[in-house]
Amino acid sequence: MTGGSWLCLLAPLGGTLLITLCGTRIPRVAAGWIATTSCFVAFGGAIWAFIGVHNRHVVHFLTGPPSAAIASQVTARGEITTAWTWLASGHFSVGLQLLVDPLSSVMMLIVSGVGGLIVLYSIGYMDGDDEERRYFAYMAFFVFSMLLLVEGGNLLLLLAGWGLVGLSSYLLIGFWHERPSAVQAAKKAFVMNAFGDATMALAFFVLIAHTGSISFVASFEAVSPLAGHLSSTATNLVALGLLGGAAAKSAQIPLQTWLPDAMEGPTPVSALIHAATMVTAGVYLIARTHPIFEQARTIELIAAGTGALTLLVAGLIALVQVDIKRVIAYSTMSQIGYMFLGAGVGAYANGMFHLMTHAFFKALLFMAAGIAIHALAGEQDIRQMRGLGKLMPFTKWCFLAGALALVGIPPFSGFFSKDSIVASAAALGTWYGWIFWVCGIAGAFLTGLYTFRLWFLVFPGEPSPFVREHYHDRHGREGAWTMLVPVGILAVLATVGGWLQWSPRWHPFTDWLAPAAPTLQAAIPTNTQEYYTSAATVLAGVVGIVVAWAIYSERTMAIPAMPFWRRTLENKFWFDVLYDRIFYAPAVWTTTLLRREFEEPVVLQTGTDLGEATLETGGLVRRIQTGFLRTYVLFLAAGAAGVVLAFLIAK
C-alpha cells in the first residue's frame, strides 16, 4: 500500500523531470508517450494502494489510541507514511507524509486514470504543435500536483499541492501565450484562485496556532467540543477560510468567473481541469476536513447553498453560450454545484460518487468536442457546426452518451449519482432542505435544456455549408487513434459507471468511504425519498430535452428570447462587470494617480536630478585633472597649509 502511494505520486513527477531534462534531444511525440506512460504507471500505483486499503483492517493513524471523542474520525482502513521529517522546531514538526485511506485512494484512481486517458488523447490532439514537449511536461506536472493534494498526509502538503495545482493551471491555460486572450485568462484564474488560497492558508494558521501541529488528527481533535481548543467562533472562521479556498478552486459563486475563460487553453487542458483535477479539489477538501465543517454546521450549509445557487446560475448562463467549450464549462460549474450541495448537507459519499461519474462523462464531452473542433480546423461556434454528426458518427454517439449521463437519464451514470444528492437534501426535512431539493430539480431541467440545445444545434441534420467546406478527416477516420480510444473508453464508463452504486438497493461506494467520510445521519434519505426524487429529476431532465428539441431542432424555428434576460445571461449576470468596477477600475485609478503624483515627480524626477548633478560634479572635477605635476603639487601644498591653519585656529 505504501509503495503504491509513492509510485502513484512520483511517476508523473519523474515524467515531468525526464521531459524537461531531455529537452529537444527527444522527439516531440516521445514527450507525449513519456507523459502518458508516467500517468498510467501512477494509475497502477493507485490500484496497488487501493487493494492495500481494501485488504487492510482498521488501523490507527496515531502511535497510540485516540480519544474516544474522535475515534471514528482518526481510525480508518488507511495509513500515514512519512518519508522524512522536513522541519522540526520544539514540539512542532512537519514530515513529508502521504495519507492513503478510502477517500484518497478513490481520488488517486480518478486523477491518474482519467488524467492518463486525457494525456493519451493529447498525443493526437497536439500533434504538430511546436511546443509539444513543454505541453506534456506541464500536463504530467499537473497530474503530480493533484496527486500531491489528495495524498498529502498533513495540512502543509495539502496546501503545497493546492498551490501547485493553481500554478499548473496558470501554465496550461496560458499555454498558447502568443494569444493575449490566453494570457489574460491565465492571469485571471491565478488571481482568483490566489484569493481562495489565502483564505485557506489563514484557516490553517489558526489551526496551527491552537494545536501546534499541522496533522489532520490534531486539527480534527482541536475542533471537537470535548477538546475545547477552539471556540465556536474560531471554528467557524476556520471553516469559512476552508470554504473560500474550496469555492475558488471549484469555481463556485462568487469566485466562479475564471472558469469559462480557462477555455483559452487547449481542449485536453479543459478536460483535465474540469473532469479529473482542479475543480474537484474543493469537493475533496470539504470531504477531507468534514470534522471541522460538522462543528461549523452553519458554514457547511452555506457551502450547500453556494452549490445550489451556482448550479442554477451556471445552468442559466449555459443556455446562451455559442462556444461549444464554454457550454460544457458552465455545465461543469453546475455539476460541481451539485457536489457542493451533497457535501454541504453532509452526504459526502454522494458528492464524491458524483465527482467520479462526472469525471467520466465530462472528460468524454470535452474530448468529443475536441475531436469536432480538430476536424473543423479550430472552429468552436456551435452555430456553424450543424449536421456534424453525419460526418462524425462515432463522435456523435459518444457525445450523446456523455450528454445523457450529464442530464441523468437512466441507465447512464449521472442518474445514479446526481439523484442521491438531491434526495439527501430532502432527507434534511427542513425548509432549507426543501429549497435545496427544488434547486436540484430545477437544475436537472436546465441541464437537459442546455445540453440538448448543444446536441440539436451541432449533430443532427444535414451538414451546414461551413461544415462541408471546412471538415477534414484523418485518413478516413474522425481522429487519431490516440484520440478515439480514450473517448471510447470514457463513453463506456459514462454509460455503465453509475451501476457501482444505486443507493436504494446497493451502496458499496458509500460503505467504502464510511471510515474516512461518513454520511451524516440527517442526510441519509429513505428509499421513498430516493424514488420520488429520482422520478422528479428524470422527469425534469426529459422535459428539458423535449423543450430543447421543440426550440432547436431543424423542424422548428427558435423562439425569440426576451432581450433583457438574454443580455443578462450573455453578460453572465454581470459578475465580471461588477468585479471590474469594484476591484480593477479602482486599482487602475489608484496606480495612475500614484504614477502621476508620486512616481513621476518624486521617483523618476529625483533619479533624473541625481544623474544630472552627478554629471555636473564630474565635469567640475574633470577640469582640475590637468595632468601637470606642478598643478598637483600646488593643490597638495594648499591642502597642507589649510590643515596647519585649521590646527592653529583651533588651538
Side-chain angles (χ1 to χ4, degrees), residues 317-508:
I317 297 174
L319 292 174
V320 298
Q321 298 299 307
V322 296
D323 184 317
I324 187 171
K325 289 171 63 176
R326 286 180 180 261
V327 176
I328 305 173
Y330 279 106
S331 167
T332 297
M333 287 171 54
S334 182
Q335 296 305 303
I336 298 292
Y338 276 105
M339 299 174 207
F340 262 63
L341 174 57
V345 300
Y348 312 109
N350 290 343
M352 293 299 299
F353 186 46
H354 194 51
L355 185 154
M356 184 188 76
T357 61
H358 175 265
F360 299 154
F361 61 72
K362 190 51 58 68
L364 168 62
L365 290 172
F366 268 114
M367 291 157 71
I371 294 176
I373 294 169
H374 209 255
L376 293 177
E379 180 59 55
Q380 297 180 196
D381 192 330
I382 60 178
R383 294 169 298 186
Q384 302 286 348
M385 295 182 172
R386 168 109 42 195
L388 191 60
K390 191 167 186 177
L391 300 175
M392 307 182 72
F394 177 80
T395 303
K396 169 185 175 181
W397 295 117
C398 288
F399 194 97
L400 180 60
L404 291 171
L406 172 60
V407 179
I409 302 300
F412 294 88
S413 59
F415 163 76
F416 297 93
S417 58
K418 182 166 64 178
D419 293 6
S420 292
I421 291 175
V422 184
S424 295
L428 295 178
T430 58
W431 62 270
Y432 50 81
W434 287 109
I435 290 178
F436 295 158
W437 187 87
V438 171
C439 289
I441 302 300
F445 167 75
L446 291 173
T447 304
L449 182 55
Y450 69 69
T451 302
F452 277 84
R453 166 184 176 264
L454 172 59
W455 165 262
F456 287 121
L457 285 176
V458 172
F459 291 103
E462 291 296 320
S464 67
F466 179 89
V467 169
R468 290 193 179 279
E469 180 181 353
H470 292 86
Y471 174 76
H472 64 91
D473 59 24
R474 185 184 179 93
H475 309 298
R477 295 180 300 178
E478 297 173 28
W481 73 266
T482 55
M483 300 169 69
L484 300 180
V485 169
V487 168
I489 293 172
L490 288 168
V492 173
L493 291 173
T495 303
V496 304
W499 288 95
L500 177 63
Q501 172 164 298
W502 186 34
S503 295
R505 294 298 180 185
W506 57 89
H507 35 76

Side-chain angles (χ1 to χ4, degrees), residues 247-324:
K249 214 57 130 197
S250 295
Q252 299 295 284
I253 289 176
L255 300 173
Q256 84 287 4
T257 59
W258 67 269
L259 190 61
D261 293 343
M263 299 302 99
E264 291 293 336
T267 301
V269 172
S270 303
L272 191 61
I273 290 176
H274 287 244
T277 56
M278 187 169 178
V279 297
T280 62
V283 183
Y284 169 79
L285 179 66
I286 295 176
R288 171 59 70 199
T289 59
H290 69 91
I292 297 175
F293 280 97
E294 287 171 8
Q295 297 302 323
R297 184 60 175 162
T298 300
I299 304 301
E300 190 169 37
L301 290 173
I302 289 175
T306 299
L309 180 60
T310 303
L311 72 89
L312 292 178
V313 169
L316 288 169
I317 297 174
L319 292 174
V320 298
Q321 298 299 307
V322 296
D323 184 317
I324 187 171

Side-chain angles (χ1 to χ4, degrees), residues 1 87 97 117 123 137 153 159 212 240 297 300 354 403 426 446 528 561 642:
M1 185 167 77
L87 172 67
Q97 299 173 316
L117 291 174
I123 294 175
L159 185 61
L240 191 60
R297 184 60 175 162
E300 190 169 37
H354 194 51
L446 291 173
T528 301

Side-chain angles (χ1 to χ4, degrees), residues 522-570:
I524 300 177
T526 64
N527 285 351
T528 301
Q529 289 171 327
E530 289 272 11
Y531 290 138
Y532 71 67
T533 297
S534 291
T537 52
V538 172
L539 179 61
V542 170
V543 171
I545 294 172
V546 171
V547 173
W549 174 83
I551 297 175
Y552 299 106
S553 71
E554 286 188 318
R555 298 176 180 82
T556 57
M557 297 294 292
I559 60 174
M562 292 180 287
F564 171 76
W565 287 108
R566 185 174 186 85
R567 190 166 61 251
T568 300
L569 297 180
E570 288 175 344

Side-chain angles (χ1 to χ4, degrees), residues 69-239:
I70 60 166
S72 63
Q73 298 169 359
V74 301
T75 59
R77 290 174 296 179
E79 179 182 5
I80 285 184
T81 175
T82 304
W84 68 82
T85 299
W86 186 0
L87 172 67
S89 177
H91 297 293
F92 179 80
S93 65
V94 179
L96 184 59
Q97 299 173 316
L98 299 187
L99 167 60
V100 183
D101 69 348
L103 180 58
S104 62
S105 64
V106 168
M107 288 298 297
M108 289 160 63
L109 289 169
I110 295 171
V111 172
S112 60
V114 178
L117 291 174
I118 294 170
V119 177
L120 174 61
Y121 172 93
S122 298
I123 294 175
Y125 191 89
M126 298 299 292
D127 183 36
D129 193 285
D130 292 336
E131 297 291 336
E132 277 186 81
R133 301 177 188 89
R134 178 167 62 91
Y135 171 85
F136 284 108
Y138 288 169
M139 290 289 276
F141 186 69
F142 203 160
V143 174
F144 160 75
S145 301
M146 188 66 189
L147 288 170
L148 179 63
L149 190 159
V150 301
E151 291 187 59
N154 54 57
L155 296 175
L156 183 59
L157 282 183
L158 189 152
L159 185 61
W162 196 270
L164 289 177
V165 165
L167 172 63
S168 303
S169 67
Y170 170 79
L171 295 173
L172 282 167
I173 293 169
F175 175 75
W176 286 320
H177 51 77
E178 67 277 5
R179 301 179 183 178
S181 58
V183 175
Q184 293 282 356
K187 291 192 292 186
K188 185 176 183 179
F190 190 85
V191 169
M192 297 202 74
N193 277 277
F195 180 83
D197 296 350
T199 68
M200 193 170 78
L202 290 173
F204 289 171
F205 287 145
V206 173
L207 285 173
I208 293 171
H210 286 82
T211 65
S213 173
I214 57 170
S215 72
F216 291 121
V217 172
S219 302
F220 298 162
E221 185 176 22
V223 301
S224 171
L226 297 179
H229 294 306
L230 263 71
S231 65
S232 60
T233 300
T235 302
N236 279 301
L237 287 175
V238 170

Side-chain angles (χ1 to χ4, degrees), residues 579-595:
Y579 292 158
D580 181 81
R581 293 185 178 179
I582 293 178
F583 300 109
Y584 183 74
V588 171
W589 180 85
T590 303
T591 54
T592 303
L593 178 66
L594 290 174
R595 180 177 178 83

